[in-house]
Amino acid sequence: MTATLISEKRLLPPCRAACPAHVNVQAYVSLIQRGKFREAVEVIRKDMPFPAICGRVCFSPCEDACARVNVDQAVAIRALKRLVADIEHEQGRVTPEPIPKIQRKSRHNRGWTCRVNSSLRTCKARLSRNCF
Ligand code: SF4
């Protein structure tokens, strides 16, 4: 079975092409192979936010499309997803650091200046009315 042409640029391996969420199977299986379970869960979450649920209930078309069947048997893609999700559940999820808000400086600090100008103008108007 060959890779599936999704678009001019994107050629997906059969497992990822068969997955309804196009989860990057190759990436997370290779991370699991290197013992990087947390990183594997984060890779899964990029395309599908429920690794623990899908690891239990998905009908896993990815495994039907797995090219490994040409050698011996399909990679247990769904079970691996369940494994890393359960490990994360046991060890607790590492929540990524929040991205600091960028304080945007406005060119003229318009809000404040406008208020001053308008109140100055009103003050001037009020003063002119009252004084003369
Ligand atoms: S088990 Fe389901 S969600 Fe996971 S890669 Fe396979 S098809 Fe996609």
Side-chain angles (χ1 to χ4, degrees), residues 15-16 18-25 28 44 48 54-55 57-63 77-79 81:
C15 51
R16 190 171 183 185
C19 170
H22 297 312
V23 174
N24 194 345
V25 176
Y28 83 77
I44 296 167
M48 199 268 306
C54 263
V57 300
C58 184
F59 64 105
S60 60
C62 54
E63 292 179 13
I77 300 169
R78 188 184 68 185
K81 180 181 290 99

Side-chain angles (χ1 to χ4, degrees), residues 50-60 78-79 81-87 89-90:
F50 312 111
I53 296 169
C54 263
R56 283 169 172 78
V57 300
C58 184
F59 64 105
S60 60
R78 188 184 68 185
K81 180 181 290 99
R82 176 176 174 171
L83 170 74
V84 287
D86 290 352
I87 289 172
H89 182 69
E90 278 161 27

Side-chain angles (χ1 to χ4, degrees), residues 90-103:
E90 278 161 27
Q91 296 175 350
R93 184 173 174 193
V94 176
T95 44
E97 287 293 313
I99 300 167
K101 271 200 177 163
I102 302 167
Q103 294 293 336

Side-chain angles (χ1 to χ4, degrees), residues 1 10 13 40-41 49 67 74 88 111 119 121 125-126:
M1 199 172 275
R10 282 185 84 188
V41 179
E88 184 197 56
S119 60
R121 222 175 288 125
R126 207 173 294 126

Side-chain angles (χ1 to χ4, degrees), residues 36-53:
K36 297 188 174 194
F37 302 137
R38 286 187 187 284
E39 292 87 345
V41 179
E42 289 312 316
V43 165
I44 296 167
R45 272 206 188 95
K46 280 189 188 145
D47 298 303
M48 199 268 306
F50 312 111
I53 296 169

